Amino acid sequence: MPQVSLEIVVFLVRQRRAHASSGNSTGVNCSFYFKIGACRHGDRCSRLHNKPTFSQTIVLLNLYRNPQNTAQTADGSHCHVSDVEVQEHYDNFFEEVFTELQEKYGEIEEMNVCDNLGDHLVGNVYVKFRREEDAERAVVELNNRWFNGQAVHAELSPVTDFRESCCRQYEMGECTRGGFCNFMHLRPISRDLRRQLYGRGPRRRSPPRSHTGHRPRERNRRRSPDHRHGRF
């Protein structure tokens, strides 16, 4: 029998209590919505999408735009973008969003970005804060903001354990459904950036000094005009 994390058990108990107090005790919960915070059927789904009233996790819907899917020339034809350029573009995006959200709202435990192509998952950014209060404040404030020329749509997400949400076959390079898989295809960041972001404490704007007294050099990542990002 598969083990269920304590976080999921606690979340389920709290959500059931909140749901029962609302007076709505009919219907069956949508397992996809509970696991990944999204469902390909959307509002047409025959099962219940119980949106959380409290959570450590928020989702920024369709925020990331993969340049390999969107890059076009002036005449509308598709413009080739190399894998190296895509990774650089993605690392820039990830660092900017992670840093700004952590500095403004509180410590982030985990952030993940979907590389799926389905409308309900494409470009979704999931941010798990250490405190529920920080997540709630972020949702309220971010829904009044714009990023990179698009309005931000933020909401609390039921996802608490990303191991339950991601596609195991994708991680092993064996997913046959491709970008339209209904489980998360989480795009990884570079090893250096992971060490830089998760190896430092919250709200630190500059890297720590080394034992020689000098600051380590920042990663040298050029920002091409086509790959600029906006700010919240």
Side-chain angles (χ1 to χ4, degrees):
M1 182 176 179
Q3 292 184 341
V4 179
S5 70
L6 179 60
E7 280 184 321
I8 290 181
V9 173
V10 172
F11 184 86
L12 270 172
V13 170
R14 294 173 69 181
Q15 283 300 113
R16 282 178 179 173
R17 286 175 180 170
H19 187 55
S21 65
S22 70
N24 183 3
S25 58
T26 61
V28 179
N29 291 333
C30 174
S31 59
F32 270 106
Y33 180 78
F34 176 73
K35 279 188 175 183
I36 65 175
C39 170
R40 65 189 179 94
H41 299 295
D43 295 335
R44 302 187 308 276
C45 184
S46 60
R47 302 195 171 193
L48 296 176
H49 292 179
N50 289 319
K51 294 186 181 294
T53 56
F54 38 75
S55 178
Q56 290 174 260
T57 307
I58 70 172
V59 57
L60 308 176
L61 300 171
N62 313 128
L63 190 70
Y64 174 66
R65 295 179 178 178
N66 188 326
Q68 284 184 326
N69 301 331
T70 60
Q72 291 184 334
T73 59
D75 62 1
S77 60
H78 187 73
C79 178
H80 175 72
V81 182
S82 71
D83 291 341
V84 173
E85 289 177 306
V86 170
Q87 188 63 47
E88 181 181 315
H89 173 274
Y90 177 63
D91 279 356
N92 287 338
F93 168 86
F94 194 103
E95 180 180 8
E96 183 168 357
V97 173
F98 184 103
T99 302
E100 188 159 353
L101 292 183
Q102 181 158 265
E103 288 179 349
K104 285 185 176 179
Y105 303 113
E107 185 175 357
I108 292 174
E109 288 190 354
E110 189 174 358
M111 179 170 131
N112 291 294
V113 180
C114 287
D115 206 24
N116 303 64
L117 295 175
D119 290 342
H120 61 301
L121 284 174
V122 61
N124 285 1
V125 178
Y126 292 83
V127 185
K128 183 178 180 182
F129 289 92
R130 184 168 293 277
R131 303 195 315 157
E132 290 178 353
E133 309 92 280
D134 296 336
E136 184 178 2
R137 185 164 63 92
V139 166
V140 171
E141 294 187 11
L142 288 172
N143 276 317
N144 297 316
R145 307 296 292 273
W146 289 69
F147 182 85
N148 198 26
Q150 61 178 323
V152 176
H153 298 288
E155 59 185 47
L156 293 175
S157 172
V159 178
T160 56
D161 188 346
F162 289 92
R163 292 171 299 180
E164 299 288 328
S165 311
C166 64
C167 175
R168 307 292 170 82
Q169 285 76 24
Y170 172 75
E171 293 179 344
M172 296 184 292
E174 299 174 356
C175 181
T176 58
R177 296 181 177 89
F180 292 96
C181 178
N182 282 322
F183 286 95
M184 293 182 186
H185 287 188
L186 300 180
R187 187 176 186 89
I189 54 176
S190 65
R191 187 175 302 174
D192 287 345
L193 180 57
R194 178 166 294 279
R195 205 164 28 231
Q196 177 184 320
L197 294 179
Y198 291 102
R200 66 186 184 188
R203 302 179 183 276
R204 290 177 62 177
R205 294 176 177 270
S206 55
R209 293 182 182 275
S210 68
H211 67 278
T212 61
H214 299 291
R215 296 191 186 279
R217 296 176 63 183
E218 292 284 346
R219 294 184 306 122
N220 183 20
R221 291 176 290 116
R222 61 188 169 78
R223 298 175 178 267
S224 98
D226 295 331
H227 293 174
R228 282 195 298 260
H229 295 293
R231 294 183 67 83
F232 290 108

